[in-house]
Amino acid sequence: METRLQNHPPRYRGASINLMYLPAMAIFLLFLVWPVIQGAMLSFTNWDGYSPTFAQVGAANYTRLWSDPNFMISLRNTFIYGIGSTILQQIVGLFLAVLLDKSGKVSNTLRSIMYLPVLISPVVMGTFYYLVFRYRQGALNDILEALGGDPIAYLSSPGFAVAVIVFINSFQFVGISMLIYLSGLQAIPEEVHEAAQLDGVSSWQQFREITWPMLHPAFAASVVINLIGGLKLYDIVKVLTDGGPGYVTNSVSTLIGRTYFGNQAAGYAAAQGVILFFIIIVFTVVTNRWLDSRARKYGM
């Protein structure tokens, strides 16, 4: 086959290779691009999700969003879940990576333990933590009562519930950040640190002046992955609080589900989905530009 390709002019060689992308492109267009286009088209209708007929309402769904208090609460929570989880995962993930950077049975075992929650379904994780944080017969409140304290309504208080969701999401996926930072740490040549030690550079100075700048590619990858995952958070919120009490812990993703199935307002839910889609795109673009500016600062 190699001989046959060599007999073709260069322009035909490239064309024959590009044909191999067509099946993947067809799947991408059919299952990703087309649903997005359909959702955007539905966002200009009053479709209820079930009726065979619906009417065009123009931009009414979009103007309604900004006067909808439930959407504004969900939008605020989405930012908290996305940004809060991202910050927490960078801090804890980097700490664990530095702590477990050395090879050995103990380090390898601890790495596996810390990565294990990533392999668990968010639905299972949310159910487990519901048993921990619920008011009656919850593990934490049972301990408090055994010590003579009063039970706390963790999931009924908006502030507590949002903080709990950020904590659970961060704990479950911090293993991804840990592995990314571990890969970055192991890619740094040992000679760099050895030379710094010979020059009498302290451990903290080595981390600040050498390790952290060289970890920028790992930092960039971790931030983008965690941010996108946090902004579209759904499973844990759905299982743990179902957006309650009322609508105060909803993310935009869970609000879309309640709007579509609970309120039978598919057109309005589609408009919410389009806004979330653009929020994720804008956050990703802005974050990537900020990360690029940091990379230029470090000469990368």
Side-chain angles (χ1 to χ4, degrees):
M1 182 176 180
E2 184 178 353
T3 305
R4 291 171 59 190
L5 284 174
Q6 288 176 349
N7 292 332
H8 287 287
R11 57 195 178 102
Y12 292 115
R13 288 183 217 161
S16 61
I17 293 173
N18 289 336
L19 289 176
M20 303 298 291
Y21 295 111
L22 289 180
M25 286 297 299
I27 293 172
F28 176 78
L29 292 172
L30 181 62
F31 293 103
L32 289 175
V33 176
W34 177 239
V36 170
I37 295 173
Q38 273 193 315
M41 292 168 61
L42 287 174
S43 70
F44 295 100
T45 71
N46 65 350
W47 188 44
D48 61 7
Y50 304 97
S51 300
T53 59
F54 51 84
Q56 298 289 330
V57 295
N61 288 328
Y62 291 97
T63 55
R64 176 184 169 188
L65 285 173
W66 310 115
S67 60
D68 183 350
N70 293 328
F71 178 75
M72 300 309 294
I73 291 171
S74 301
L75 190 62
R76 180 202 64 192
N77 290 342
T78 296
F79 294 147
I80 294 173
Y81 297 147
I83 298 173
S85 297
T86 300
I87 293 173
L88 199 56
Q89 287 176 73
Q90 304 322 301
I91 296 171
V92 180
L94 180 58
F95 173 77
L96 291 172
V98 173
L99 190 66
L100 304 176
D101 187 27
K102 297 179 181 179
S103 59
K105 289 185 178 180
V106 175
S107 294
N108 291 339
T109 302
L110 290 175
R111 290 177 195 175
S112 301
I113 292 172
M114 293 308 304
Y115 190 75
L116 188 61
V118 177
L119 306 178
I120 300 174
S121 166
V123 174
V124 175
M125 185 67 71
T127 303
F128 170 77
Y129 275 103
Y130 174 75
L131 299 176
V132 173
F133 287 104
R134 68 181 179 178
Y135 185 74
R136 293 296 179 190
Q137 298 180 333
L140 279 180
N141 280 338
D142 283 349
I143 294 172
L144 282 175
E145 290 179 311
L147 295 174
D150 295 325
I152 299 173
Y154 298 102
L155 303 181
S156 298
S157 169
F160 259 127
V162 168
V164 166
I165 291 169
V166 171
F167 165 76
I168 295 173
N169 184 58
S170 301
F171 172 75
Q172 179 171 14
F173 295 107
V174 73
I176 295 176
S177 294
M178 179 192 70
L179 281 187
I180 293 173
Y181 283 121
L182 272 172
S183 300
L185 287 170
Q186 293 172 1
I188 300 174
E190 284 291 334
E191 295 80 3
V192 176
H193 290 293
E194 291 173 358
Q197 288 173 356
L198 290 174
D199 290 338
V201 180
S202 67
S203 298
W204 168 246
Q205 287 177 318
Q206 286 185 51
F207 178 82
R208 189 182 61 187
E209 303 296 338
I210 299 173
T211 304
W212 179 240
M214 296 185 74
L215 277 178
H216 180 268
F219 173 72
S222 181
V223 166
V224 172
I225 291 172
N226 295 155
L227 185 60
I228 293 174
L231 289 174
K232 62 185 184 68
L233 189 64
Y234 175 84
D235 310 72
I236 292 174
V237 179
K238 181 66 179 177
V239 174
L240 201 64
T241 65
D242 196 22
Y247 285 78
V248 294
T249 60
N250 266 317
S251 65
V252 175
S253 294
T254 56
L255 181 65
I256 291 170
R258 293 183 69 170
T259 304
Y260 189 113
F261 298 105
N263 301 338
Q264 297 185 7
Y268 188 44
Q272 295 170 353
V274 170
I275 295 298
L276 179 61
F277 176 75
F278 280 107
I279 285 173
I280 292 174
I281 288 178
V282 169
F283 264 75
T284 304
V285 170
V286 171
T287 302
N288 277 324
R289 288 188 176 180
W290 174 66
L291 292 169
D292 288 343
S293 68
R294 291 186 78 254
R296 289 192 294 269
K297 174 184 175 182
Y298 292 128
M300 294 183 180

